[in-house]
Every structure is written in C-alpha cells, then in structure tokens.
C-alpha cells in the first residue's frame, strides 16, 4: 500500500458490497418504521445510480461524481460548505475505518500469500495451516477473516515471514503501530494529517474542474477511492433515512456519535491491539 492511496485495496474492492449491505439492512429495518419517504428515497436512489455509474469512469470523473453526491447531501443538511461537512461528520469514521481496514488487510494479504515467493520452504507448511484457519469467503464471495483467529494468526505470520521480507516488515510495523499504547495515538495523529491532505486535495480538484483549471491524473487517482468511500457513506445514510422515515440529520448525528466514541475507546484502551483483534471484522457498520 502506498502512502498516496490510504484506502486499502480491500476497501476499494468492497465499496459496492458495503453499499449493498447498507441498503439491505436499511430495507429490513423499514419493516419496523413508518412508510418510506418517497421523495427522499427517489433522490437517494438517483444518487446511488450516479455513484455506481461513476465507478466505470476515469479517476477525475469519478472524483467529480463523488463530490456531487457529497455536495447534494450536505446541502440537504443545510451545510453549504461541503468540505467542512465532511470534516465534522466523517473524520472520526474515516480514521477508525482506515485503522481497522489496514489492520485486517495486512493479515489477509499475509495469510493469503500475496508475496509468498521468498518465504523459506521450511515455513510454507506453517503458512498453509495459518491460511486455512484464518481466511474464508463471506456471503458476497469476498475473502475475509475468520472471527477470533487474527491475534494468533498475526504472531504466527511474523514467525513465517523473515524480517527482511517486505510482508515481514509490514507485519512487524503493524504490531508496532498498536502496541505499546502510545503507538495507536501516533498512528491516529498521522492518519489525521493524511485525512486533511486528502480533503484539501479533493477540494482543489473540484474547484479546478469548476473553474477550468488542470488536475493531474496522479492527483485524481490519489483521491478517487477516498472520495468514493465518503460518498458511499453519504448514500447509505440518505437511504436509511428515507427507508425508515427518520430525520436525515438524526441519522448523520447517530453515525458520527458512534464513530467518535469508537475511536476514543480505541485510543484510550490499555491494549489497543486486543480491541482491534475483536473488531477488525466489523467494517460495514450499517
């Protein structure tokens, strides 16, 4: 994973699945609420179609489509400044999501053998045993982690991959990022700076297109998945609100409150790595 593209490939490949899960759960919840708001539901579905169509477009077009979704729903909340809206509503969510996704994805890639070629032959049998115990396909045929296996798997994989191996360095770095306790705050602080860079870059890209200025392909690529993830959360909240008949502002406030609390709990935990092992699989939220 490069520093330019903070959103992990696993996250990128699951964006559509995450939205699908959110819609399904909202639809199930609707049975216990009043009839859906047809006007808001129609708008939310239109935004979903817009977002889906954008996934097939070039990076810059995808970014602009994602921002259109964000701007539309920020306006529905009375927020004329969409990047301030993102900072308030989604910073904590993005931080905890990125920490957990990176944590889980590192184990998935190591157990899946994405860079197994240089592992000593006498350790391949151990690796194969870890893979069988740790990985499974979920209902959407996405490779994922078996619950309650990650802690043992992480330490076993460190023994499999030599320290000089790229994956070996990633695994050891992962452990150092969560233990001892101050390390998780340092990781959070580093990601918070990255969040601000990505927000500003997205703002500049949108303004450049609006005013006829240039946007490099590299700049657009670096914020494509970032803006797409945020837009997908916006859509899920809009759909949930429309389907259940709840106030849009209430859905956003509840989402933000839970994410802020989750991040604070993780940073304050005596052993953050244990909490991550317990929650690494919970990435859908809706």
């Amino acid at each position: 994973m490069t520093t330019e593209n903070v959103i992990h490939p696993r996250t990128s490949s699951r964006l559509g699945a995450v939205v699908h899960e959110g819609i399904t759960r909202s639809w199930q919840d609707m049975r216990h609420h009043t009839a859906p708001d047809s006007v808001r539901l129609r708008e939310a579905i239109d935004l979903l179609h817009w977002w889906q169509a954008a996934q097939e477009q070039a990076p810059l077009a995808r970014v602009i489509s994602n921002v259109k979704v964000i701007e539309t729903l920020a306006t529905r909340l009375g927020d004329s400044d969409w990047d301030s809206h993102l900072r308030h509503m989604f910073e904590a969510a993005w931080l905890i999501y990125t920490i957990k996704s990176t944590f889980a994805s590192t184990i998935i890639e190591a157990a899946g053998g994405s860079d197994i070629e240089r592992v000593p032959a006498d350790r391949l049998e151990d690796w194969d045993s870890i893979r069988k115990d740790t990985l499974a396909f979920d209902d959407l045929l996405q490779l994922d982690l078996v619950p309650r296996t990650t802690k043992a798997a992480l330490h076993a994989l460190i023994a499999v991959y030599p320290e000089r191996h790229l994956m070996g360095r990633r695994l050891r770095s992962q452990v150092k990022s969560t233990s001892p306790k101050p390390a998780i705050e340092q990781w959070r602080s580093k990601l918070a700076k990255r969040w601000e860079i990505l927000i500003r870059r997205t703002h500049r890209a949108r303004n450049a297109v609006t005013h006829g200025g240039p946007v490099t392909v590299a700049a657009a690529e670096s914020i494509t998945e970032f803006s797409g993830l945020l837009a997908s959360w916006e859509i899920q909240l809009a759909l949930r609100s429309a389907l259940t008949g709840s106030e849009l502002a209430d859905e956003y406030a509840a989402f933000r409150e839970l994410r802020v609390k989750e991040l604070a709990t993780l940073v304050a935990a005596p052993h953050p790595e244990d909490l991550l092992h317990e929650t690494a699989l919970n990435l859908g939220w809706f």
Side-chain angles (χ1 to χ4, degrees), residues 227-248:
S227 61
L229 179 64
L230 298 181
S232 76
W233 288 342
E234 302 264 16
I235 291 168
Q236 288 179 82
L237 289 167
L239 283 167
R240 185 176 179 85
S241 173
L243 286 168
T244 61
S246 63
E247 293 292 332
L248 184 62

Side-chain angles (χ1 to χ4, degrees), residues 1-12 91 93-103 105-106 109 170 174 187-199 201 218-227 229 233:
M1 180 181 66
T2 67
T3 56
E4 283 296 302
N5 189 4
V6 173
I7 300 298
H8 198 277
R10 174 174 180 252
T11 308
S12 173
E91 180 175 5
W94 184 83
L95 292 173
I96 191 69
Y97 191 95
T98 303
I99 288 171
K100 291 167 67 173
S101 181
T102 303
F103 188 84
S105 294
T106 300
E109 290 191 26
R170 282 184 59 189
Q174 187 69 76
W187 192 9
R188 186 210 65 78
S189 179
K190 182 178 180 180
L191 285 175
K193 293 177 182 177
R194 186 63 189 162
W195 157 270
E196 186 61 27
I197 289 171
L198 292 170
I199 287 288
R201 189 175 294 170
E221 288 178 343
S222 71
I223 53 176
T224 300
E225 305 298 347
F226 172 76
S227 61
L229 179 64
W233 288 342

Side-chain angles (χ1 to χ4, degrees), residues 22-61:
I23 294 170
T24 301
R25 293 179 189 179
S26 295
W27 191 267
Q28 292 170 344
D29 288 347
M30 188 189 71
R31 294 175 299 178
H32 308 293
H33 293 77
T34 58
D37 184 320
S38 60
V39 175
R40 288 195 292 142
L41 181 58
R42 188 179 304 112
E43 179 181 61
I45 291 174
D46 285 345
L47 290 173
L48 175 59
H49 289 163
W50 182 279
W51 181 86
Q52 288 175 320
Q55 306 313 302
E56 305 300 323
Q57 298 175 9
L60 181 57

